[in-house]
Amino acid sequence: MPEIARRRFERIAWAVLGYTVLVILFGAWVRITGSGAGCGEHWPSCHGELVPRSPTVATVIEFTHRVTSGLCLLSVLVLLWMARRGFPRGHAVRLGAALAVLFTITEALVGAGLVRFGLVDKNDSVARAVVMSIHLVNTSLLTAALAFTAWRARVQSPTPSTPRRAALWLGAALVGLLIVGVSGAVTALGDTLFPAQQLGLAGRLAEDHGAGAHFLQRLRVFHPFLAVGIGLYVLVIANALSGPQAPAEVRRWGGLVILGVLVQVAAGVANILLSAPGWMQIVHLLLGTGLWIAVIVFALTVLGPRRA
């Protein structure tokens, strides 16, 4: 494929990733507004209709999310078609695009399960927390596949020799971020169903661990400590691997990762102090998703082939 065509494909892949992130944020808004049951327990229809008539606000929100999710599936299918047309058999771009389609389908199936089994709206069961965690992991794999597809689209030179310990460090960082993401998803569910009645850290701790507190409230305390601990680890690894001797692209992405960790931790503190309002949950999720993508690309620049 000519270089101009590769660059065009790369831009399209990044655009698909950007749109996917917007759909993810919209999904969080569905949870925050309690609109997950806006179409009842029907899927893929909405109240048994292809297009709902006389919809409520919750129905409009849920139905719109389904439409945007459907467009997301269409966009990754087009991306796979372009990858198969433009890149030879066995090229990494084909693999990345195929994985993006797979994870988009599983994303839709998990969302359908939430609706069909009533794990939406005011449902505060363990099952919903588990499925939400699976949802978060699948979403992370989807964005990682799209970032991989976009990054590998350009002409590459041979893979450099990278110390094995760097791969282990980066692998641990990615697993750690997934754990933080899962704890964040469960915490966000608790913040939605059991909004804090007291301001400040001390007040929230007393409320979350008082008599009769729900398990989602009791679990909220773990996320900040996990986030700070894993964030510090990621910051140290990014700083160590993007030193003065590293290639320019590695230093650039390493700097973005370090900045992302600092901004995300600050946003997490603000989220706690503000008692997790809906708009702040969206900002927190956006920053967390951006940090995850930055770490994925940083790992690729350290371990993968160099850009020509």
Side-chain angles (χ1 to χ4, degrees):
M1 176 184 285
E3 178 65 11
I4 294 177
R6 286 178 180 269
R7 288 178 179 272
R8 182 168 57 248
F9 179 88
E10 181 187 19
R11 288 194 296 270
I12 292 173
W14 283 120
V16 171
L17 175 57
Y19 176 73
T20 301
V21 171
L22 292 178
V23 174
I24 293 169
L25 297 179
F26 196 178
W29 183 248
V30 172
R31 168 184 53 79
I32 291 167
T33 57
S35 302
C39 288
E41 294 185 1
H42 298 86
W43 192 95
S45 66
C46 187
H47 291 303
E49 301 172 330
L50 183 61
V51 178
R53 286 171 282 184
S54 303
T56 64
V57 173
T59 301
V60 171
I61 294 175
E62 169 65 8
F63 183 73
T64 303
H65 178 56
R66 293 187 185 188
V67 171
T68 57
S69 299
L71 292 176
C72 185
L73 175 59
L74 180 61
S75 66
V76 293
L77 286 172
V78 171
L79 194 67
L80 176 60
W81 175 76
M82 294 177 64
R84 292 179 63 85
R85 280 189 54 122
F87 294 88
R89 185 185 301 272
H91 197 283
V93 167
R94 283 190 170 199
L95 172 62
L99 288 175
V101 171
L102 172 64
F103 292 131
T104 302
I105 293 173
T106 53
E107 185 86 343
L109 293 176
V110 173
L114 285 168
V115 172
R116 295 300 296 269
F117 292 103
L119 303 177
V120 291
D121 197 14
K122 300 299 183 182
N123 185 293
D124 59 359
S125 65
V126 174
R128 185 179 184 184
V130 171
V131 177
M132 289 280 291
S133 300
I134 295 172
H135 210 355
L136 184 281
V137 172
N138 191 86
T139 298
S140 300
L141 295 177
L142 170 58
T143 53
L146 286 170
F148 175 80
T149 303
W151 188 84
R152 285 302 306 263
R154 296 267 290 280
V155 176
Q156 310 293 331
S157 59
T159 304
S161 57
T162 304
R164 184 170 178 267
R165 63 177 180 275
L168 294 176
W169 292 345
L170 289 166
L174 293 173
V175 172
L177 287 176
L178 281 177
I179 293 172
V180 172
V182 167
S183 69
V186 175
T187 299
L189 178 60
D191 288 335
T192 299
L193 298 178
F194 304 98
Q197 303 301 317
Q198 301 185 47
L199 296 177
L201 181 59
R204 290 194 65 173
L205 285 174
E207 181 182 345
D208 289 350
H209 296 276
H214 194 271
F215 81 93
L216 288 172
Q217 292 175 282
R218 296 183 183 277
L219 289 176
R220 284 196 287 216
V221 69
F222 296 105
H223 177 64
F225 292 103
L226 280 172
V228 171
I230 298 299
L232 180 61
Y233 173 78
V234 172
L235 191 150
V236 170
I237 294 304
N239 183 68
L241 295 177
S242 59
Q245 303 303 318
E249 189 175 17
V250 173
R251 294 198 306 272
R252 181 168 62 252
W253 281 102
L256 287 174
V257 169
I258 292 171
L259 178 62
V261 169
L262 296 176
V263 173
Q264 177 69 331
V265 170
V269 172
N271 195 42
I272 293 174
L273 295 178
L274 295 172
S275 296
W279 66 269
M280 192 64 209
Q281 291 186 44
I282 297 293
V283 171
H284 200 30
L285 176 60
L286 173 61
L287 293 173
T289 305
L291 175 60
W292 166 256
I293 293 171
V295 174
I296 289 291
V297 179
F298 175 65
L300 289 171
T301 59
V302 173
L303 302 176
R306 298 283 184 240
R307 286 185 184 275

